Short mmCIF file of all heavy atoms in Angstrom, two decimals:
data_model
loop_
_atom_site.label_atom_id
_atom_site.label_comp_id
_atom_site.label_asym_id
_atom_site.label_seq_id
_atom_site.Cartn_x
_atom_site.Cartn_y
_atom_site.Cartn_z
N SER A 218 -13.56 -11.42 -7.33
CA SER A 218 -14.88 -11.22 -7.91
C SER A 218 -14.86 -10.22 -9.06
O SER A 218 -15.43 -10.45 -10.13
CB SER A 218 -15.85 -10.74 -6.82
OG SER A 218 -17.17 -10.63 -7.32
N VAL A 219 -14.17 -9.09 -8.84
CA VAL A 219 -14.10 -8.06 -9.88
C VAL A 219 -13.25 -8.54 -11.06
O VAL A 219 -13.54 -8.22 -12.22
CB VAL A 219 -13.57 -6.74 -9.29
CG1 VAL A 219 -13.39 -5.68 -10.38
CG2 VAL A 219 -14.53 -6.23 -8.21
N ALA A 220 -12.22 -9.34 -10.77
CA ALA A 220 -11.43 -9.92 -11.86
C ALA A 220 -12.30 -10.81 -12.74
O ALA A 220 -12.14 -10.86 -13.96
CB ALA A 220 -10.26 -10.73 -11.29
N ALA A 221 -13.26 -11.52 -12.12
CA ALA A 221 -14.16 -12.39 -12.88
C ALA A 221 -15.03 -11.59 -13.84
O ALA A 221 -15.29 -12.01 -14.97
CB ALA A 221 -15.04 -13.19 -11.92
N GLU A 222 -15.47 -10.42 -13.41
CA GLU A 222 -16.31 -9.60 -14.28
C GLU A 222 -15.51 -8.87 -15.35
O GLU A 222 -15.88 -8.85 -16.52
CB GLU A 222 -17.09 -8.56 -13.47
CG GLU A 222 -17.91 -7.63 -14.37
CD GLU A 222 -18.55 -6.46 -13.66
OE1 GLU A 222 -18.53 -6.42 -12.41
OE2 GLU A 222 -19.07 -5.57 -14.35
N LEU A 223 -14.39 -8.28 -14.94
CA LEU A 223 -13.67 -7.38 -15.85
C LEU A 223 -12.75 -8.12 -16.82
O LEU A 223 -12.23 -7.51 -17.75
CB LEU A 223 -12.87 -6.35 -15.06
CG LEU A 223 -13.71 -5.40 -14.19
CD1 LEU A 223 -12.83 -4.32 -13.58
CD2 LEU A 223 -14.85 -4.77 -14.98
N GLY A 224 -12.56 -9.41 -16.61
CA GLY A 224 -11.74 -10.18 -17.55
C GLY A 224 -12.26 -10.12 -18.97
O GLY A 224 -11.49 -10.09 -19.94
N GLN A 225 -13.58 -10.07 -19.12
CA GLN A 225 -14.17 -10.00 -20.46
C GLN A 225 -13.85 -8.70 -21.17
O GLN A 225 -13.98 -8.60 -22.39
CB GLN A 225 -15.69 -10.16 -20.36
CG GLN A 225 -16.37 -9.03 -19.60
CD GLN A 225 -17.85 -9.27 -19.38
OE1 GLN A 225 -18.56 -9.61 -20.33
NE2 GLN A 225 -18.32 -9.10 -18.14
N HIS A 226 -13.41 -7.71 -20.41
CA HIS A 226 -13.05 -6.41 -20.99
C HIS A 226 -11.53 -6.23 -21.11
O HIS A 226 -11.06 -5.13 -21.42
CB HIS A 226 -13.63 -5.27 -20.13
CG HIS A 226 -15.11 -5.32 -19.99
ND1 HIS A 226 -15.97 -5.10 -21.04
CD2 HIS A 226 -15.89 -5.58 -18.90
CE1 HIS A 226 -17.22 -5.20 -20.63
NE2 HIS A 226 -17.20 -5.49 -19.33
N GLY A 227 -10.79 -7.30 -20.82
CA GLY A 227 -9.33 -7.21 -20.93
C GLY A 227 -8.67 -6.48 -19.78
O GLY A 227 -7.50 -6.08 -19.89
N ILE A 228 -9.39 -6.32 -18.68
CA ILE A 228 -8.87 -5.59 -17.52
C ILE A 228 -8.42 -6.58 -16.45
O ILE A 228 -9.15 -7.51 -16.09
CB ILE A 228 -9.95 -4.66 -16.93
CG1 ILE A 228 -10.39 -3.64 -18.00
CG2 ILE A 228 -9.44 -3.95 -15.68
CD1 ILE A 228 -11.67 -2.91 -17.63
N ARG A 229 -7.20 -6.38 -15.96
CA ARG A 229 -6.64 -7.26 -14.95
C ARG A 229 -6.85 -6.68 -13.55
O ARG A 229 -6.72 -5.47 -13.36
CB ARG A 229 -5.14 -7.48 -15.19
CG ARG A 229 -4.85 -8.12 -16.54
CD ARG A 229 -3.38 -8.39 -16.76
NE ARG A 229 -2.57 -7.17 -16.80
CZ ARG A 229 -1.76 -6.76 -15.85
NH1 ARG A 229 -1.64 -7.46 -14.73
NH2 ARG A 229 -1.05 -5.66 -15.99
N VAL A 230 -7.20 -7.55 -12.59
CA VAL A 230 -7.45 -7.12 -11.21
C VAL A 230 -6.70 -8.04 -10.27
O VAL A 230 -6.93 -9.25 -10.26
CB VAL A 230 -8.96 -7.15 -10.89
CG1 VAL A 230 -9.22 -6.55 -9.51
CG2 VAL A 230 -9.77 -6.42 -11.96
N ASN A 231 -5.79 -7.47 -9.49
CA ASN A 231 -4.95 -8.26 -8.59
C ASN A 231 -4.78 -7.54 -7.25
O ASN A 231 -5.14 -6.37 -7.12
CB ASN A 231 -3.57 -8.49 -9.22
CG ASN A 231 -3.62 -9.31 -10.49
OD1 ASN A 231 -3.83 -10.51 -10.44
ND2 ASN A 231 -3.42 -8.65 -11.63
N CYS A 232 -4.21 -8.25 -6.28
CA CYS A 232 -3.85 -7.60 -5.03
C CYS A 232 -2.48 -8.08 -4.56
O CYS A 232 -1.99 -9.12 -5.01
CB CYS A 232 -4.91 -7.80 -3.94
SG CYS A 232 -5.25 -9.50 -3.47
N VAL A 233 -1.87 -7.29 -3.70
CA VAL A 233 -0.55 -7.58 -3.15
C VAL A 233 -0.67 -7.67 -1.64
O VAL A 233 -1.27 -6.79 -1.01
CB VAL A 233 0.47 -6.49 -3.54
CG1 VAL A 233 1.79 -6.70 -2.82
CG2 VAL A 233 0.67 -6.47 -5.05
N SER A 234 -0.12 -8.74 -1.06
CA SER A 234 -0.23 -8.95 0.38
C SER A 234 1.15 -9.02 1.04
O SER A 234 1.81 -10.07 1.01
CB SER A 234 -1.00 -10.25 0.66
OG SER A 234 -2.36 -10.09 0.35
N PRO A 235 1.59 -7.93 1.64
CA PRO A 235 2.91 -7.93 2.29
C PRO A 235 2.87 -8.41 3.73
O PRO A 235 1.84 -8.38 4.40
CB PRO A 235 3.31 -6.45 2.23
CG PRO A 235 2.02 -5.72 2.26
CD PRO A 235 1.01 -6.58 1.56
N TYR A 236 4.03 -8.87 4.17
CA TYR A 236 4.29 -9.19 5.57
C TYR A 236 4.56 -7.86 6.29
O TYR A 236 4.23 -6.79 5.77
CB TYR A 236 5.49 -10.15 5.62
CG TYR A 236 6.02 -10.53 6.98
CD1 TYR A 236 5.18 -11.12 7.93
CD2 TYR A 236 7.36 -10.32 7.30
CE1 TYR A 236 5.67 -11.49 9.17
CE2 TYR A 236 7.85 -10.69 8.54
CZ TYR A 236 7.01 -11.27 9.48
OH TYR A 236 7.50 -11.64 10.71
#
Side-chain angles (χ1 to χ4, degrees):
S218 184
V219 176
E222 177 188 351
L223 297 187
Q225 64 186 311
H226 301 293
I228 300 167
R229 300 183 296 106
V230 186
N231 296 287
C232 60
V233 172
S234 288
Y236 175 57

